[in-house]
Amino acid sequence: MAALYISFLFQLLFCLVFSLPTGRNSICGYKSCPATNTSMLNVHLVPHTHDDVGWLKTVDQYYYGDRNNIQHAGVQYILDSVIDQLQQDPARRFIYVETAFFYRWWKQQSQNTRRIVTQLVNEGRLEFINGGWCMSDEATTHYSAVIDQMTLGLQFLNETFGECGRPRVAWHIDPFGHAREHASIFAQMGYDGFFFGRLDYQDKARRMKTKEMEMLWRASESLTLPLADLFTGVLPNGYNPPEGFCWDQSCNDAPIRDDPDLEDYNVDEIVQRFLNVSYNQAAFYKTNHIIMTMGSDFQYENANLWYKNMDKLIKYVNALQAKGSKVNVLYSTPSCYLQELNLANLTWPLKTDDFFPYADDAHDFWTGYFTSRPALKLYERLSNSRLQTCNQLEVLSGPKSTSGPFGEGDSDTMKRAMGVAQHHDAVSGTEKQHVAYDYARRLATGWAHCEVLVRNSLAVLSGSESPRVFCENLNISVCPLTESSQKFSMNVYNPLGRTVSWPVRLPVNGSLYSVTDTNGKAVNSQVVPLSKSTQQVRRNRGYAKGELVFQVEAPPLGYTTYIISILKDEPPASSPKPTATRSIQNKFLKVTFDDTTGLLSSLTNLETNQTIRLTQNFYWYNASAGNNKESRQPSGAYIFRPNSSDPFVINKTAEIQIVTVSSTVQEVTQWFSPWVSQVVRLYEGHSELELEWTVGPVPIADGLGKEVITRLDTDIESSDYFYTDSNGREVLERRKDYRPTWDLKQTEPIAGNYYPINSRAYIKDDKHQLTVVTDRSQGASSIYNGSLEIMLHRRLLYDDFRGVGEPLSEPGEFFDGLVARGRLLLTLTPPNMAADVHRPLAQGMVLQPLLSFQDGTPLANTKLEFTGLQDALPPAVHLLTLSQWDKDSVLIRLEHQYQAEESKTHSQPVTVNLQKLFSTLEVLGASEMSLGANQWKEDMNRLQWNTAKASKPLLLSAKDPSPWEVTLNPMEIRTFLLQVRQL
């Protein structure tokens, strides 16, 4: 009872500020919706603007209206103008979506303007929809980053406007395909519905015929109904107004000329045209309510143009009701439209798969952006890992983390940078080149702020204020401290809630080193020669001759320290000549290579006694070219369109350059061409095979754009089935040339079978499953039985006519083309054991240990090891979020990372005690919240919907055994606000 009482007091106290800005007489939300007419066709006009947080211009340029020679757009003027026009008539409505823009506009407003805006929000006349920091991409984002960016926006809206600032509807009108996991996230955040604009042209045609443009999306096979059910609607015109009814200053449609004494009076013509449009649209929807999006990209800079004409449209159309017209037009919002659909109490069709891939015409599949800008995609993923480390250390080390011996640090700058990076023209890779640079710059700035916080935090926890450095270029073997120091220490921080074993590779110039752990125990290590590709990639940066390789083990949510000393200060031995040996193995795996080709030939799991034939090579699709879309749709930043179904092999053989066999690592370096190479690695104690690929600069002197893939060919009988993850969480079954929702007419046999992968893909039969874990989002497919291909890099010579206006040809650091490097981790298991391996492996790839270095020997009183947890979390549990909320409270999310029935061991309910989690925090109170952390869980009350299909038997959900003990069911995420005291 004491625990319950403390939790109740905490929630009561927090409620005082949680919804503070909402006025007593607020009539926002569904209560503020305008009246409709049950006997008429109600046309909901939704005034809106779609404001990309970067695309053709940077987010700053869009906000200020700079560089209008690229695109005329200025968000600050849009908000200024809309607020002015909303005050002119209480019937007018407007919705706003991108909190990143609204946040900076709000900061610049006077108190008087803020009062006006707050009143508009409280009366439901200005309504926030979606509410995230951005409108995130759905193909290339990881669920953890999506949840974070949504939380960032929702937290600002809640703190600023209270309950009236809480969005009821998710609104993804521009993303290029829609992920099931996104729908699940929105449902768990408490949204009542979801509307989007882009839908495959074949799917849309079928849905229009059958009146299935609106449906119930069941977005999880694991969560208890209706936790992940979300009403979903496809908007009729993308997100644009009906043709002929755009009254923005950027449009050319005729205004309503309603003075009969003046020339070109057109009221009757426009009203009749509008009635025709309304009835035509209504023919594809089930109720007597339809929605029209009145706005588009960066519209409403002069909102008077829009509202003056819409006022007239409403007036003249509704005036015809006196003559028998059955059309009623009104200003509305997506939530008011949604409420009317719910009140209709109809039975809706059920959707259980996703909306990938998306095509807007027969040869125009938007599957190229799954891979576009591979370096930015990796940088975003690494930045997410660093942000989680930053958030955790801020909590674990206390207030000195933000103001300590190394200066002022913060996590907020990184949160905002990551929030912007989730935008559907950011991590997607579909922005102009100068905008991509800006996204990367923001992430770098965010990390610079976090770096100070991390230094301060580690100083607090370790007791050492010695200078600490982070090596940003370890992936190309550059780190000035490790290359030059005779003795140094390495701190390994582990952001996961379990102990991790991780291979470390440090650039060095000696031939022999001593590595010891916190107990002074010697750690097995080996200096291996640098690969030729690494020497090429780093060019004049760094001068290391070899890499020191050893395994580290770090405690859960904590760090450990290793001391590294040089023993032989002489250059490492030169690369050994390749031997006749064509296999490498450790205790778990054996890999063989073909004597003739030098390619992989088989993979064996020594524990399960499984062997598959496995060959792997690199290929490129010749990208379709064209200076206009009408002659031939070219590949571009968005579109993948190869001009042949048969890719070109880069080389039928691989030159084996280096074979390293040691007690720490066994690796084979393969050289395919001057621009493609790979290192095949087996680390001691690891059950996965690592393929570290290097691709670029992709040559274009031959005038051909290239889309580079690696393909794994096996004897697994996959029968045209393969499996991909959805935003890094649940896995969906795919089938070549097939869609679960409609009878597909396949027009692009390669591009039409590509799907996004965020962390993994696999193929399987009854006995074998080959899983590939990736380090970033990419496109993948299975074109042939037993094969799995992943697109790694793209360099193209033509724009694809989807708006970006330039070819995807990244110059790279030295302006001769981008070089991309990455890792694929392969596992071979029986299918029923696969999740036990790939789930933790993928989490370890997403949240990687953070390495930092100090020159010399640590001082005697330095604390060399620390864990922020009292005990490691159970294997099925992932600590998704640990972040400071305010001075005395922290936000945590605990996640069950297994799907129902995918693991005999781990797909079971598991319980965690909140009071026994942390070693540095005393938990005084706990209150459960929605996934978006903007509602108390007990206050969530979502609209309920009827569906025709019979549901599967309800999954049983285990309950919490006590107030402090939290039970997680498969795929469940639970969010808590904890009141804490630093110990």
Side-chain angles (χ1 to χ4, degrees):
M1 287 301 293
L4 279 171
Y5 180 66
I6 292 172
S7 179
F8 171 75
L9 287 178
F10 172 52
Q11 183 168 330
L12 184 64
L13 177 65
F14 197 74
C15 275
L16 296 178
V17 296
F18 202 68
S19 299
L20 186 62
T22 304
R24 291 182 178 179
N25 298 319
S26 299
I27 51 169
C28 58
Y30 297 125
K31 294 183 296 183
S32 68
C33 290
T36 58
N37 193 316
T38 57
S39 63
M40 294 187 179
L41 174 63
N42 294 276
V43 183
H44 296 248
L45 302 184
V46 178
H48 81 106
T49 179
H50 175 58
D51 297 343
D52 293 299
V53 289
W55 179 38
L56 308 183
K57 305 197 294 189
T58 69
V59 61
D60 291 345
Q61 291 164 355
Y62 272 134
Y63 179 76
Y64 285 108
D66 195 9
R67 298 196 67 180
N68 280 339
N69 60 309
I70 298 176
Q71 180 185 13
H72 187 97
V75 174
Q76 61 174 333
Y77 310 121
I78 294 172
L79 290 167
D80 289 342
S81 183
V82 165
I83 298 306
D84 174 69
Q85 286 300 308
L86 288 177
Q87 297 174 68
Q88 309 305 315
D89 185 345
R92 292 176 174 178
R93 301 295 181 101
F94 195 79
I95 63 168
Y96 200 73
V97 175
E98 294 84 7
T99 306
F101 280 134
F102 189 86
Y103 163 81
R104 61 170 60 190
W105 180 83
W106 179 261
K107 289 197 305 179
Q108 297 174 345
Q109 303 311 302
S110 66
Q111 288 302 316
N112 184 56
T113 299
R114 290 185 177 189
R115 281 193 294 270
I116 291 169
V117 172
T118 300
Q119 181 180 349
L120 292 171
V121 173
N122 288 345
E123 293 174 357
R125 294 155 62 190
L126 173 63
E127 183 172 330
F128 294 101
I129 298 293
N130 211 65
W133 206 245
C134 72
M135 185 185 295
S136 60
D137 183 56
E138 297 194 45
T140 63
T141 47
H142 191 266
Y143 73 95
S144 61
V146 172
I147 292 170
D148 280 352
Q149 75 88 10
M150 289 298 298
T151 302
L152 183 64
L154 295 174
Q155 182 181 3
F156 168 76
L157 294 177
N158 191 77
E159 291 175 350
T160 307
F161 300 108
E163 175 63 15
C164 285
R166 180 172 66 84
R168 271 74 172 171
V169 170
W171 183 257
H172 270 211
I173 54 178
D174 197 25
F176 332 118
H178 304 282
R180 195 174 75 176
E181 190 60 36
H182 260 72
S184 178
I185 287 170
F186 289 142
Q188 293 176 70
M189 287 183 172
Y191 288 89
D192 286 321
F194 177 37
F195 293 98
F196 63 76
R198 297 187 187 272
L199 176 69
D200 185 275
Y201 75 104
Q202 291 185 43
D203 193 7
K204 185 174 184 178
R206 182 196 68 83
R207 289 183 178 278
M208 291 172 71
K209 288 180 181 177
T210 58
K211 289 193 175 185
E212 293 187 0
M213 294 285 277
E214 293 161 332
M215 70 210 82
L216 185 68
W217 195 352
R218 182 150 294 156
S220 173
E221 296 176 358
S222 297
L223 295 175
T224 304
L225 301 179
L227 188 59
D229 286 0
L230 187 66
F231 184 89
T232 301
V234 182
L235 297 170
N237 302 302
Y239 56 90
N240 300 308
E243 186 176 350
F245 296 91
C246 183
W247 290 304
D248 193 73
Q249 63 186 16
S250 63
C251 299
N252 298 315
D253 293 342
I256 297 179
R257 299 185 291 266
D258 58 344
D259 188 337
D261 296 331
L262 297 181
E263 186 180 0
D264 296 332
Y265 177 84
N266 65 357
V267 171
D268 295 339
E269 173 194 346
I270 286 183
V271 166
Q272 188 57 51
R273 188 149 37 89
F274 183 81
L275 292 173
N276 292 340
V277 167
S278 299
Y279 281 121
N280 287 339
Q281 180 178 325
F284 305 126
Y285 291 83
K286 295 181 71 171
T287 75
N288 64 325
H289 293 267
I290 60 173
I291 185 171
M292 290 186 181
T293 45
M294 306 303 283
S296 193
D297 292 352
F298 297 99
Q299 294 195 356
Y300 285 79
E301 267 192 44
N302 185 351
N304 180 53
L305 297 177
W306 264 112
Y307 282 112
K308 195 162 192 174
N309 283 280
M310 286 190 291
D311 286 347
K312 292 179 181 181
L313 182 69
I314 293 170
K315 173 184 175 182
Y316 292 119
V317 171
N318 289 349
L320 291 181
Q321 293 173 11
K323 298 180 180 179
S325 171
K326 295 295 184 180
V327 174
N328 181 50
V329 190
L330 62 151
Y331 282 118
S332 189
T333 68
S335 59
C336 291
Y337 172 68
L338 181 72
Q339 179 179 230
E340 294 297 338
L341 300 184
N342 186 257
L343 292 172
N345 198 30
L346 299 182
T347 297
W348 302 94
L350 188 67
K351 169 82 171 176
T352 57
D353 57 319
D354 64 1
F355 291 95
F356 287 117
Y358 161 63
D360 59 8
D361 210 339
H363 303 288
D364 306 358
F365 280 86
W366 297 48
T367 54
Y369 79 98
F370 300 161
T371 297
S372 296
R373 303 194 187 279
L376 180 63
K377 282 178 165 62
L378 177 63
Y379 192 37
E380 180 276 333
R381 185 64 56 84
L382 293 174
S383 297
N384 181 43
S385 180
R386 290 169 170 178
L387 174 58
Q388 304 314 316
T389 292
C390 188
N391 287 337
Q392 292 172 7
L393 285 172
E394 182 179 5
V395 172
L396 296 174
S397 61
K400 290 184 180 179
S401 62
T402 54
S403 182
F406 295 100
E408 304 290 321
D410 69 85
S411 59
D412 291 342
T413 306
M414 188 62 150
K415 289 176 182 176
R416 291 192 290 268
M418 276 295 293
V420 168
Q422 306 315 304
H423 170 56
H424 58 270
D425 284 308
V427 67
S428 60
T430 54
E431 62 281 276
K432 282 186 178 291
Q433 184 64 51
H434 79 102
V435 181
Y437 289 148
D438 185 68
Y439 288 132
R441 179 191 62 79
R442 289 175 181 277
L443 293 173
T445 301
W447 172 237
H449 284 251
C450 263
E451 215 174 61
V452 176
L453 187 154
V454 171
R455 285 193 177 100
N456 287 337
S457 297
L458 292 177
V460 170
L461 296 173
S462 69
S464 170
E465 296 184 3
S466 298
R468 184 182 301 274
V469 299
F470 302 86
C471 292
E472 304 292 330
N473 296 307
L474 285 175
N475 68 321
I476 56 170
S477 298
V478 175
C479 178
L481 188 147
T482 65
E483 293 173 51
S484 60
S485 179
Q486 298 289 304
K487 189 170 188 177
F488 59 92
S489 65
M490 181 182 72
N491 180 289
V492 183
Y493 179 81
N494 168 26
L496 292 171
R498 56 181 170 83
T499 299
V500 297
S501 176
W502 188 263
V504 169
R505 306 177 72 92
L506 303 180
V508 295
N509 283 295
S511 61
L512 185 62
Y513 285 79
S514 164
V515 180
T516 57
D517 63 17
T518 55
N519 297 316
K521 182 181 177 181
V523 176
N524 197 18
S525 65
Q526 179 81 26
V527 176
V528 301
L530 289 183
S531 66
K532 182 179 177 181
S533 64
T534 295
Q535 297 175 45
Q536 281 188 335
V537 168
R538 73 178 187 182
R539 300 196 183 184
N540 295 322
R541 297 165 296 182
Y543 58 94
K545 300 295 191 299
E547 289 182 312
L548 177 64
V549 182
F550 58 99
Q551 293 283 334
V552 299
E553 190 172 279
L557 211 68
Y559 68 80
T560 192
T561 308
Y562 289 84
I563 312 298
I564 298 99
S565 306
I566 193 167
L567 297 179
K568 286 188 179 181
D569 192 2
E570 58 188 37
S574 59
S575 304
K577 292 182 179 180
T579 66
T581 302
R582 287 295 186 262
S583 69
I584 56 176
Q585 73 178 69
N586 62 14
K587 65 181 289 187
F588 297 106
L589 295 177
K590 179 179 180 180
V591 184
T592 64
F593 297 82
D594 185 272
D595 287 332
T596 303
T597 65
L599 302 176
L600 289 172
S601 58
S602 73
L603 177 63
T604 298
N605 184 326
L606 298 173
E607 285 193 308
T608 58
N609 198 28
Q610 293 174 276
T611 298
I612 60 169
R613 178 181 59 81
L614 171 64
T615 61
Q616 182 241 358
N617 209 333
F618 295 87
Y619 307 80
W620 58 275
Y621 288 107
N622 184 8
S624 292
N627 287 313
N628 63 79
K629 184 178 181 293
E630 284 68 33
S631 62
R632 183 173 179 86
Q633 171 64 53
S635 280
Y638 301 92
I639 304 294
F640 171 35
R641 192 189 182 193
N643 67 4
S644 170
S645 296
D646 298 317
F648 293 90
V649 63
I650 290 171
N651 199 327
K652 293 181 179 179
T653 63
E655 177 188 342
I656 304 296
Q657 291 196 324
I658 302 174
V659 176
T660 300
V661 179
S662 72
S663 56
T664 58
V665 64
Q666 301 188 42
E667 57 187 38
V668 174
T669 301
Q670 298 171 306
W671 185 263
F672 293 86
S673 80
W675 58 280
V676 176
S677 62
Q678 179 172 261
V679 182
V680 182
R681 292 194 181 102
L682 282 177
Y683 286 104
E684 189 60 32
H686 285 252
S687 59
E688 71 276 1
L689 174 68
E690 177 179 298
L691 305 179
E692 184 185 67
W693 52 268
T694 304
V695 176
V698 178
I700 54 173
D702 56 5
L704 302 176
K706 297 175 178 64
E707 321 211 38
V708 184
I709 67 165
T710 186
R711 194 173 77 208
L712 304 162
D713 293 302
T714 76
D715 54 2
I716 292 175
E717 293 294 333
S718 56
S719 304
D720 289 339
Y721 288 89
F722 60 109
Y723 301 81
T724 66
D725 68 315
S726 181
N727 299 123
R729 286 203 91 215
E730 295 197 40
V731 175
L732 279 75
E733 181 181 86
R734 310 298 191 183
R735 183 177 165 191
K736 181 185 172 185
D737 296 334
Y738 176 78
R739 303 290 187 267
T741 314
W742 80 93
D743 293 330
L744 174 68
K745 181 182 178 182
Q746 184 62 275
T747 52
E748 285 290 326
I750 304 300
N753 282 303
Y754 257 69
Y755 291 85
I757 59 172
N758 305 104
S759 63
R760 80 208 78 187
Y762 58 81
I763 54 175
K764 66 177 182 176
D765 56 23
D766 292 341
K767 296 180 180 179
H768 308 295
Q769 177 168 320
L770 179 69
T771 305
V772 180
V773 172
T774 67
D775 61 358
R776 73 201 77 187
S777 294
Q778 294 166 315
S781 187
S782 179
I783 304 298
Y784 307 104
N785 182 41
S787 80
L788 190 62
E789 65 182 60
I790 297 172
M791 188 177 290
L792 305 176
H793 200 347
R794 314 177 75 219
R795 192 176 187 190
L796 308 170
L797 304 181
Y798 295 89
D799 177 49
D800 56 10
F801 306 105
R802 292 307 186 278
V804 75
E806 65 183 32
L808 181 69
S809 181
E810 297 182 88
E813 187 173 358
F814 300 100
F815 302 98
D816 56 354
L818 178 74
V819 179
R821 171 173 282 181
R823 295 186 301 142
L824 302 175
L825 304 181
L826 276 59
T827 66
L828 174 63
T829 58
N832 63 353
M833 297 171 58
D836 296 340
V837 178
H838 70 67
R839 286 287 176 187
L841 196 62
Q843 287 291 9
M845 188 75 100
V846 172
L847 293 182
Q848 300 183 13
L850 177 67
L851 308 181
S852 59
F853 303 89
Q854 294 176 302
D855 201 13
T857 305
L859 299 176
N861 60 348
T862 300
K863 187 175 181 180
L864 299 180
E865 194 163 71
F866 164 82
T867 177
L869 297 180
Q870 294 185 30
D871 292 295
L873 293 175
V877 177
H878 173 53
L879 181 63
L880 180 60
T881 303
L882 176 61
S883 181
Q884 198 73 38
W885 189 261
D886 58 26
K887 181 176 178 292
D888 298 314
S889 58
V890 299
L891 184 73
I892 71 163
R893 291 187 179 95
L894 295 169
E895 169 192 8
H896 196 304
Q897 62 179 338
Y898 286 84
Q899 289 179 224
E901 301 178 355
E902 75 173 353
S903 167
K904 292 181 179 179
T905 306
H906 300 308
S907 294
Q908 306 295 329
V910 60
T911 299
V912 175
N913 191 312
L914 296 177
Q915 280 194 312
K916 297 180 180 179
L917 272 180
F918 303 108
S919 64
T920 65
L921 302 173
E922 181 185 3
V923 178
L924 304 175
S927 291
E928 187 163 8
M929 307 183 79
S930 65
L931 181 60
N934 66 334
Q935 277 185 287
W936 302 116
K937 182 69 175 290
E938 64 189 35
D939 293 339
M940 290 178 66
N941 185 22
R942 299 172 61 222
L943 299 179
Q944 300 300 305
W945 305 87
N946 303 318
T947 184
K949 286 191 177 181
S951 302
K952 293 181 180 179
L954 283 176
L955 296 168
L956 297 178
S957 293
K959 304 300 181 183
D960 297 343
S962 73
W964 290 113
E965 292 177 300
V966 175
T967 297
L968 297 163
N969 296 288
M971 278 289 118
E972 187 175 18
I973 302 174
R974 296 184 66 177
T975 306
F976 295 89
L977 199 61
L978 305 182
Q979 186 184 24
V980 299
R981 180 166 56 212
Q982 206 82 23
L983 295 176

